[in-house]
Amino acid sequence: MLKDDGLAEPQQRVAAELTALIATADAGTLGAETLLRIEARLVTLAEEVARRYFLQGAEPLRAAGLTLA
């Protein structure tokens, strides 16, 4: 956990949900619906990681020829 309040951050919650979903899935009966749920959770996880760890909003600076120091 990265917060001082002891609560999991969004990316940690999504990762835990995804871990549980995959751990409880039966490979022999894995259907399209479950695969789509896993895919959706992976996309959400990627978005949450990007929001937490990567600079947001740098594209307008690059378009204008500016950079962050």
Side-chain angles (χ1 to χ4, degrees):
M1 281 163 242
L2 300 175
K3 292 183 177 181
D4 289 337
D5 60 10
L7 298 175
E9 291 189 3
Q11 72 278 4
Q12 293 167 314
R13 285 191 300 275
V14 174
E17 292 169 9
L18 187 56
T19 300
L21 179 60
I22 292 170
T24 59
D26 180 3
T29 60
L30 200 59
E33 183 180 325
T34 302
L35 290 174
L36 288 173
R37 285 178 55 208
I38 291 170
E39 178 185 29
R41 298 315 292 162
L42 285 169
V43 168
T44 302
L45 178 59
E47 291 168 351
E48 292 296 342
V49 167
R51 187 174 293 115
R52 173 63 174 90
Y53 295 103
F54 298 106
L55 178 64
Q56 303 295 310
E59 289 304 318
L61 292 175
R62 289 189 198 112
L66 302 173
T67 59
L68 296 174

